[in-house]
Amino acid sequence: MKRFKFLLLGIFTLLSQLVFSQDVTSKINSGDTAWMLISTALVMFMTAPALALFYGGLVKRKNVLNILMQCFITLAVVSLLWVICGYTLSFSPKSLIPGFIGNFDFAFLKNVGLGASDTYATTIPHLLFVIYQGMFAVITPALIIGAFAERMKFSSFLIFVIVWCIFVYFPVAHWIWSTDGWLFKLGVVDFAGGIVVHINAGIASLVAAIMIGKRKYLKPTPPHNLTFTMFGAAMLWFGWFGFNAGSALGANGLAANAFVVTNTAAAAAVVIWFILDLFFVKKPTMLGSATGAIAGLAAITPAAGFVDVGASIVIGAASSLICYFMVVFVKNKIGYDDALDAFGVHGIGGIFGSIIVGVFASPLIQSAYSGLLFGNPKQLFIQVFGSVVVIVYSLVLTIIIFKVIDIFMGLRVSEKEEAMGLDITQHNERGYTVIE
Amino acid sequence: MKRFKFLLLGIFTLLSQLVFSQDVTSKINSGDTAWMLISTALVMFMTAPALALFYGGLVKRKNVLNILMQCFITLAVVSLLWVICGYTLSFSPKSLIPGFIGNFDFAFLKNVGLGASDTYATTIPHLLFVIYQGMFAVITPALIIGAFAERMKFSSFLIFVIVWCIFVYFPVAHWIWSTDGWLFKLGVVDFAGGIVVHINAGIASLVAAIMIGKRKYLKPTPPHNLTFTMFGAAMLWFGWFGFNAGSALGANGLAANAFVVTNTAAAAAVVIWFILDLFFVKKPTMLGSATGAIAGLAAITPAAGFVDVGASIVIGAASSLICYFMVVFVKNKIGYDDALDAFGVHGIGGIFGSIIVGVFASPLIQSAYSGLLFGNPKQLFIQVFGSVVVIVYSLVLTIIIFKVIDIFMGLRVSEKEEAMGLDITQHNERGYTVIE
Amino acid sequence: MKRFKFLLLGIFTLLSQLVFSQDVTSKINSGDTAWMLISTALVMFMTAPALALFYGGLVKRKNVLNILMQCFITLAVVSLLWVICGYTLSFSPKSLIPGFIGNFDFAFLKNVGLGASDTYATTIPHLLFVIYQGMFAVITPALIIGAFAERMKFSSFLIFVIVWCIFVYFPVAHWIWSTDGWLFKLGVVDFAGGIVVHINAGIASLVAAIMIGKRKYLKPTPPHNLTFTMFGAAMLWFGWFGFNAGSALGANGLAANAFVVTNTAAAAAVVIWFILDLFFVKKPTMLGSATGAIAGLAAITPAAGFVDVGASIVIGAASSLICYFMVVFVKNKIGYDDALDAFGVHGIGGIFGSIIVGVFASPLIQSAYSGLLFGNPKQLFIQVFGSVVVIVYSLVLTIIIFKVIDIFMGLRVSEKEEAMGLDITQHNERGYTVIE
Amino acid sequence: MKLIIAIIQPHRLEEVKDELYHAGINLITVSEVLGHGRQKGVTEYYRGTKESGNLLRKIRLEIAVNEEFVEPTIKALIKGAKTGEVGDGKIFVYDLNECIRIRTEERGPNAIG
Amino acid sequence: MKLIIAIIQPHRLEEVKDELYHAGINLITVSEVLGHGRQKGVTEYYRGTKESGNLLRKIRLEIAVNEEFVEPTIKALIKGAKTGEVGDGKIFVYDLNECIRIRTEERGPNAIG
Amino acid sequence: MKLIIAIIQPHRLEEVKDELYHAGINLITVSEVLGHGRQKGVTEYYRGTKESGNLLRKIRLEIAVNEEFVEPTIKALIKGAKTGEVGDGKIFVYDLNECIRIRTEERGPNAIG
Ligand SMILES: Nc1ncnc2c1ncn2[C@@H]1O[C@H](COP(=O)(O)OP(=O)(O)O)[C@@H](O)[C@H]1O
Ligand SMILES: Nc1ncnc2c1ncn2[C@@H]1O[C@H](COP(=O)(O)OP(=O)(O)O)[C@@H](O)[C@H]1O
Ligand SMILES: Nc1ncnc2c1ncn2[C@@H]1O[C@H](COP(=O)(O)OP(=O)(O)O)[C@@H](O)[C@H]1O
């Protein structure tokens, strides 16, 4: 604790001496800034409370606080990590390893000012771009929580989040979103994080689910509070407008298009899951509809700024179909325990969306970007290539990280702790009183 | 299911060939766009999670998921319906039947571009106007859920929502909000949906409650979770700022006025319900305060862009008073089972507000609009006329729709299903675990 | 009730005759307006549902509605009070008692128009500034609810809120935020309410907790629903962006800075509380992390527009440390029953932040403001002076108000009512059904 | 003195309370339980995973009565709870050795009512 | 061996637990029930609709003891739970035929404590 | 006829149900209770305030059986619930005077199954 305080004081002294670039008023568009301020808040809202509600409702009562705590602490820790080194490693246009990772020009946000950046989002304050991107860094590891829910040691979880951000998220974000990124230069497009967020977190989830092993109990238990899950899904949908339409980085027609296709893809995905539920389990389910919405939202994420409304319906519907089969059939066949389907929904939806944007990207939305259907088959190959690269990278790195953590501190709580629940054993608290 | 996919593919092919109007940058105001983007998200937030929380908390535990599912599926289905044909039927300035219903110029949002519309909201992307209006189409049928809660077959509900949107919501929206609408041309004003949303849904609720009949049980059961209802009411209040202040279609003084009067009317309505509760049941109740807020918000909706703060206090207070008597006395006297008071609050509040705006509309807010108090008694007559027309239309059409659905598929679940609860019988799920 | 209606009619008649200033379009910046519209909604969201969730989850099941009702009715009553006399008493640049309290120029919002104010926030509609400030007036007394939770008579509570606003909040807001305020003129800075909101409410909480006395029961009961508390904390964090970044009164670099430092201070505070929990109770707790976040947010509030990111980490961390010791050690030592730690977190965090801004205020953020570290020790003294003045004022006035209410109507419910719970005894309702 | 425990369908609670009231039985203790009986548990699905054999919600009534009230209580319970369908529940009767009213410290048959 | 069931006011639980502890009784099972007794149920109002005759929250204690502990347990229960007001609750005592500790499979009086 | 009450660990419920099923016992009533036994309650902390002596979640099973099923039921319960650690719970057995199936109004041993 003491050391930490010294560290903080050190950081502060450093910062106090920095000179902020002060060309505040130049170029800044207040409308774009207004939209990006609220979009940033919306993306923050997705991690907590939205994802916390969504995931928290799905677990057993005795593990609910553990999920909530994981979401909350991820928000806190990654927020700090981001201003310290995350932003600069991800977005610095100059690089430590060219194309691969940024240098420390913006460490502790030095050289980031209230004025606009020259490189990114040139109509809003640079600081605002930083924090907007920071919220993406927050939610990505938070998504993985779904995979190892109800059995991971909290200390190991925390180390994992930090290490994974540094070695997986920051580099991948750099590759695809930095002007210096090698995949960016190759022409890989990812409007709001289909590759960087969803594939990345989805693949890590698959690894996590397999490496940590199944939960120990005879039969699956139903979600302890499906109303929370529904409220969470609705709030994710709401926040996703900031996620996708915010990725236009301004209040303009592109944002409007992203907003509309996000909503329509989610809607189409809900309807398809509904129909599949009708077909396979005879009744439409609330959990199914909520899951479908997320499948649609994940898939439209990389495409929201490139495709039109028609394509969004197809993308949402197809993503829902594919995720349904993954979650309901494939997962149970293969037998890994992706507890809350972080891979089955985010991973699969993200892969599908990231590739399919190479088919549907329409020059009528952004004239510089066309997909297969508009005579540019190359984009499809680029998208496949970019996706595969990130799948492999995330897979390998996550395996290594989990392995190392396992060796040093173990991944799982003891069987007895799992039986008693993680709330009481990891946090000395209970979610709800039984008797008062 | 297969058919549906073919349909989707068809739709897509169609759309891919469309040429979007591309004058994106012209005329678009980024501040107005920022406000309308977030307003749209806020109105979405009202249907889910806000209304889902509000209504969901009021029913019995065994029916909570059914309510949530109805809200969620309405969001999905009407979102799709809106981009397919809803927007064009409602807002196309050219018409199939002049003054009555739009033509198919904007079907599948063809001819809707990223640039501004010539007709509506000329400072924001046309697509944004589309989706903003779409969220109104979503919430209107969702309000009706309160009337037939705890006893309607889910399949019949779903058909009802679709048919009702097509035959009731889209036409009525056209009459009043399209530049081609006959009531619009007559001079009926409805700032944010007092007639189109609240009267319309409220009357349909009355019909629904009567035609589906009472819930079967000896005594009323208390709301299963009043905290949800309070959170929902607060979130509705929050979302309503997007609903009313967003209806200014820009970030300007009119929006600010709508914001303030919305808040003040809700506040006055809460206080009046509070006082009436004190008087009639001796204690102020949480449910009463939440209900009062909605009564005030519904009433100020048509008036928010026309009246000043003083008038808003009167409108909120009076609406609360009238709704109180409807809900507490008249309903029980007459004896229909408007389960969650969708008619008693939204319908009555909407009627009152839609008429009273003809009294209080002040030229100091929008110079073109004056009410009785400002020397223009004609507006009052027009408002009464418009309201009566929509009341009659919604009444007759809803009766017909319910009748036809009743004949073909029945309206109610069986008595046994009602006893077991709709969650388990309609969705094969339960909201909460009892034992783990 | 009748009298109240007459009053309302009177108010209305008065207002209808007012002339609104009509220079609507001049000077108004739509981007700034968009941001302030949504910021206002965000601050409203903080009182309900956010604070209601946060506080509601912490109490016993039998008292949850009482907390929710207190939040909700505060929103309603103070909203009305604000438009009637609150705004004018707080912000009128002309004064009844010079420097101390505003005059009635803006009573009932007369002379407040859709155009911009000459004095405050000159790029947004004056009405919008009014309602934005109104939401601060709403949340301040709502914070105090935490101190007397689970035992205060509802009627006495309501009177307290009204009287306290008039005699404490409005004057203090005038001193510090009105251009006429004596502390404002002295140079006391308070970006978003560290003194006006947090110190003010915090000190009143301390008084309340002591004067009303301890809750009667043998042992402390755990929070009835910690998930609500976590959702509330996350929503408060979300809303706080409107609170702090909104206090820039525009969508600009200053807002972006306030946004970033708000987030970072909260994050640092969470991490420190986490570490202290690890140290003292061996496990990191969800409630601790949520509490830490609020401690950081309260402390950064007065500083958000003056300090940089580095300072925000120090401020958040230090506030968390201090509040931890207050809440965990000092409170139990001294023995007053600040039930939900309104003083321990808001009060202490507010005092710390309000003073420390005098150290860290950096001219690189706002060139006109420097603190000790930037060669201006005077600011620190001014901040200490301003804080002490408000501490003393709030302390003395709150004691008097509580005393008078105690004499006339009593503060506490009876012991039997406390045992039965406030929901059933104060509101004739229950939060949840047990059996259905 | 006897103690009667009845397990009934949740939606019959109001009727049962009414019948008991008419039979002069006012003092009851009620709780929520889950039951597994002849009634087939409803199948639930969560993301396509079937959960059968689930326990169903039931209401448990606990009624302490003096001997002469045993049969009237049973009759009232049956009258209120019987729908004729599987799942209607059971009534169990035990001997009660002692009953004490906490408020007055009275014991025995007098303390029951 | 006897089984003692006590229905008490929720807010007396802590006191009752303390008294039992002082009487040497540490093993108890507690659950939440609703009770309808002499105490008039509180009236609730929902949108002006009165709901009377509602059941009140109570706590149910289940304590298995050997004969010599029966009276001390009853005394402790009364001491902890009695406020003298209607609603204080009841204590019921039954015969217990057998008691088994699952962990050790011990039976009879030894298994109780 | 006997009534068997078992207090078990919540996470053993599925195993216990399985064992009962294999022993031919299908009719059970389950509820959630809090227990205080030899097992030390877990300590909870809320803002640094310690809450010890807390009650732990347990599951209560109520099974009415005819005499010949008593031992098989006990065996099944032990088999399913025993982990050998403190906190495994207890089984209590009582005499049951009467049992009535509400649906058919059957009485006695026939009504139990
Ligand atoms: N032998 C028993 N022991 C414990 N509980 C029982 C027993 N038999 C029935 N029950 C309870 O009664 C409920 C209804 O029993 P069930 O067999 O479904 O109805 P029916 O008697 O109408 O066939 C069950 O869910 C269970 O809770
Ligand atoms: N004969 C009974 N059978 C079952 N439960 C009873 C009986 N008598 C009392 N109870 C339980 O005890 C609680 C308290 O009883 P009540 O009559 O209100 O108190 P008092 O005994 O002080 O008059 C009741 O709410 C009910 O749960
Ligand atoms: N004498 C008793 N009376 C009532 N309940 C008991 C009694 N003994 C045990 N229990 C219940 O059984 C549970 C397990 O008992 P415990 O003593 O922890 O386990 P073990 O028997 O394995 O030592 C307790 O939590 C309590 O609910």
PDB file of all heavy atoms in Angstrom, chain C residues 50 61 70 78 149 161 175 205 258 374 409 427 431 435:
ATOM      1  N   ALA C  50     -30.455   6.271  -9.643  1.00  0.00           N
ATOM      2  CA  ALA C  50     -29.138   5.840  -9.167  1.00  0.00           C
ATOM      3  C   ALA C  50     -29.004   5.860  -7.645  1.00  0.00           C
ATOM      4  O   ALA C  50     -28.685   4.842  -7.021  1.00  0.00           O
ATOM      5  CB  ALA C  50     -28.045   6.689  -9.824  1.00  0.00           C
ATOM      6  N   ARG C  61     -34.831  -4.835   4.151  1.00  0.00           N
ATOM      7  CA  ARG C  61     -35.914  -5.004   3.191  1.00  0.00           C
ATOM      8  C   ARG C  61     -37.168  -4.208   3.562  1.00  0.00           C
ATOM      9  O   ARG C  61     -37.860  -3.684   2.702  1.00  0.00           O
ATOM     10  CB  ARG C  61     -36.300  -6.488   3.135  1.00  0.00           C
ATOM     11  CG  ARG C  61     -36.018  -7.142   1.825  1.00  0.00           C
ATOM     12  CD  ARG C  61     -36.580  -8.537   1.790  1.00  0.00           C
ATOM     13  NE  ARG C  61     -36.013  -9.377   2.843  1.00  0.00           N
ATOM     14  CZ  ARG C  61     -36.506 -10.566   3.179  1.00  0.00           C
ATOM     15  NH1 ARG C  61     -37.575 -11.034   2.558  1.00  0.00           N
ATOM     16  NH2 ARG C  61     -35.938 -11.278   4.134  1.00  0.00           N
ATOM     17  N   GLN C  70     -38.274   8.687  -0.484  1.00  0.00           N
ATOM     18  CA  GLN C  70     -37.584   9.919  -0.107  1.00  0.00           C
ATOM     19  C   GLN C  70     -36.831  10.500  -1.305  1.00  0.00           C
ATOM     20  O   GLN C  70     -36.872  11.703  -1.554  1.00  0.00           O
ATOM     21  CB  GLN C  70     -36.626   9.656   1.068  1.00  0.00           C
ATOM     22  CG  GLN C  70     -37.372   9.414   2.383  1.00  0.00           C
ATOM     23  CD  GLN C  70     -36.439   9.115   3.553  1.00  0.00           C
ATOM     24  OE1 GLN C  70     -35.317   8.678   3.354  1.00  0.00           O
ATOM     25  NE2 GLN C  70     -36.918   9.329   4.757  1.00  0.00           N
ATOM     26  N   VAL C  78     -38.400  19.415  -4.749  1.00  0.00           N
ATOM     27  CA  VAL C  78     -37.355  20.414  -4.982  1.00  0.00           C
ATOM     28  C   VAL C  78     -37.421  20.936  -6.424  1.00  0.00           C
ATOM     29  O   VAL C  78     -37.104  22.093  -6.674  1.00  0.00           O
ATOM     30  CB  VAL C  78     -35.954  19.876  -4.612  1.00  0.00           C
ATOM     31  CG1 VAL C  78     -34.887  20.930  -4.838  1.00  0.00           C
ATOM     32  CG2 VAL C  78     -35.939  19.402  -3.155  1.00  0.00           C
ATOM     33  N   ALA C 149     -31.510   7.294   7.568  1.00  0.00           N
ATOM     34  CA  ALA C 149     -32.246   6.168   6.989  1.00  0.00           C
ATOM     35  C   ALA C 149     -32.775   5.223   8.060  1.00  0.00           C
ATOM     36  O   ALA C 149     -32.168   5.057   9.104  1.00  0.00           O
ATOM     37  CB  ALA C 149     -31.319   5.405   6.049  1.00  0.00           C
ATOM     38  N   VAL C 161     -36.616  18.717   4.153  1.00  0.00           N
ATOM     39  CA  VAL C 161     -36.051  18.947   2.821  1.00  0.00           C
ATOM     40  C   VAL C 161     -36.388  20.348   2.328  1.00  0.00           C
ATOM     41  O   VAL C 161     -35.527  21.082   1.835  1.00  0.00           O
ATOM     42  CB  VAL C 161     -36.554  17.889   1.824  1.00  0.00           C
ATOM     43  CG1 VAL C 161     -36.261  18.314   0.391  1.00  0.00           C
ATOM     44  CG2 VAL C 161     -35.904  16.545   2.102  1.00  0.00           C
ATOM     45  N   TRP C 175     -23.827  32.095  -2.468  1.00  0.00           N
ATOM     46  CA  TRP C 175     -22.502  32.571  -2.045  1.00  0.00           C
ATOM     47  C   TRP C 175     -21.420  32.174  -3.037  1.00  0.00           C
ATOM     48  O   TRP C 175     -20.499  32.921  -3.321  1.00  0.00           O
ATOM     49  CB  TRP C 175     -22.096  31.982  -0.692  1.00  0.00           C
ATOM     50  CG  TRP C 175     -23.028  32.285   0.425  1.00  0.00           C
ATOM     51  CD1 TRP C 175     -24.110  33.112   0.415  1.00  0.00           C
ATOM     52  CD2 TRP C 175     -22.958  31.735   1.738  1.00  0.00           C
ATOM     53  NE1 TRP C 175     -24.729  33.118   1.635  1.00  0.00           N
ATOM     54  CE2 TRP C 175     -24.038  32.280   2.474  1.00  0.00           C
ATOM     55  CE3 TRP C 175     -22.096  30.839   2.374  1.00  0.00           C
ATOM     56  CZ2 TRP C 175     -24.279  31.955   3.808  1.00  0.00           C
ATOM     57  CZ3 TRP C 175     -22.320  30.529   3.697  1.00  0.00           C
ATOM     58  CH2 TRP C 175     -23.404  31.068   4.409  1.00  0.00           C
ATOM     59  N   SER C 205     -25.706  15.825   7.095  1.00  0.00           N
ATOM     60  CA  SER C 205     -25.855  14.401   7.407  1.00  0.00           C
ATOM     61  C   SER C 205     -25.312  14.078   8.783  1.00  0.00           C
ATOM     62  O   SER C 205     -25.906  13.312   9.538  1.00  0.00           O
ATOM     63  CB  SER C 205     -25.110  13.550   6.372  1.00  0.00           C
ATOM     64  OG  SER C 205     -25.659  13.749   5.094  1.00  0.00           O
ATOM     65  N   ALA C 258     -12.786  17.487 -17.514  1.00  0.00           N
ATOM     66  CA  ALA C 258     -13.572  17.133 -16.329  1.00  0.00           C
ATOM     67  C   ALA C 258     -14.028  15.680 -16.408  1.00  0.00           C
ATOM     68  O   ALA C 258     -14.043  14.952 -15.408  1.00  0.00           O
ATOM     69  CB  ALA C 258     -14.783  18.067 -16.209  1.00  0.00           C
ATOM     70  N   PHE C 374       1.268  25.451  -8.122  1.00  0.00           N
ATOM     71  CA  PHE C 374       1.591  26.284  -9.267  1.00  0.00           C
ATOM     72  C   PHE C 374       1.820  27.712  -8.808  1.00  0.00           C
ATOM     73  O   PHE C 374       1.492  28.670  -9.503  1.00  0.00           O
ATOM     74  CB  PHE C 374       0.498  26.181 -10.331  1.00  0.00           C
ATOM     75  CG  PHE C 374       0.378  24.783 -10.853  1.00  0.00           C
ATOM     76  CD1 PHE C 374      -0.439  23.855 -10.233  1.00  0.00           C
ATOM     77  CD2 PHE C 374       1.128  24.372 -11.962  1.00  0.00           C
ATOM     78  CE1 PHE C 374      -0.519  22.551 -10.700  1.00  0.00           C
ATOM     79  CE2 PHE C 374       1.049  23.073 -12.425  1.00  0.00           C
ATOM     80  CZ  PHE C 374       0.224  22.157 -11.799  1.00  0.00           C
ATOM     81  N   MET C 409     -42.913  18.439  15.495  1.00  0.00           N
ATOM     82  CA  MET C 409     -43.513  17.194  15.011  1.00  0.00           C
ATOM     83  C   MET C 409     -42.730  15.931  15.332  1.00  0.00           C
ATOM     84  O   MET C 409     -43.204  14.839  15.073  1.00  0.00           O
ATOM     85  CB  MET C 409     -43.780  17.293  13.511  1.00  0.00           C
ATOM     86  CG  MET C 409     -42.665  17.898  12.701  1.00  0.00           C
ATOM     87  SD  MET C 409     -43.203  18.488  11.037  1.00  0.00           S
ATOM     88  CE  MET C 409     -44.084  17.088  10.411  1.00  0.00           C
ATOM     89  N   HIS C 427     -45.862   4.117   4.643  1.00  0.00           N
ATOM     90  CA  HIS C 427     -46.423   4.155   3.293  1.00  0.00           C
ATOM     91  C   HIS C 427     -47.482   3.098   3.008  1.00  0.00           C
ATOM     92  O   HIS C 427     -48.018   3.053   1.891  1.00  0.00           O
ATOM     93  CB  HIS C 427     -45.289   4.024   2.267  1.00  0.00           C
ATOM     94  CG  HIS C 427     -44.172   4.976   2.502  1.00  0.00           C
ATOM     95  ND1 HIS C 427     -44.335   6.335   2.406  1.00  0.00           N
ATOM     96  CD2 HIS C 427     -42.880   4.798   2.891  1.00  0.00           C
ATOM     97  CE1 HIS C 427     -43.190   6.936   2.707  1.00  0.00           C
ATOM     98  NE2 HIS C 427     -42.300   6.032   3.014  1.00  0.00           N
ATOM     99  N   GLY C 431     -42.141  -3.553  -0.177  1.00  0.00           N
ATOM    100  CA  GLY C 431     -41.307  -3.580  -1.371  1.00  0.00           C
ATOM    101  C   GLY C 431     -41.485  -4.840  -2.192  1.00  0.00           C
ATOM    102  O   GLY C 431     -41.576  -4.793  -3.412  1.00  0.00           O
ATOM    103  N   ILE C 435     -44.938 -14.269  -0.545  1.00  0.00           N
ATOM    104  CA  ILE C 435     -45.658 -15.445  -1.003  1.00  0.00           C
ATOM    105  C   ILE C 435     -46.713 -14.974  -1.970  1.00  0.00           C
ATOM    106  O   ILE C 435     -47.291 -13.921  -1.808  1.00  0.00           O
ATOM    107  CB  ILE C 435     -46.301 -16.145   0.212  1.00  0.00           C
ATOM    108  CG1 ILE C 435     -45.269 -17.038   0.871  1.00  0.00           C
ATOM    109  CG2 ILE C 435     -47.518 -16.945  -0.200  1.00  0.00           C
ATOM    110  CD1 ILE C 435     -45.715 -17.577   2.180  1.00  0.00           C
TER     111      ILE C 435
END
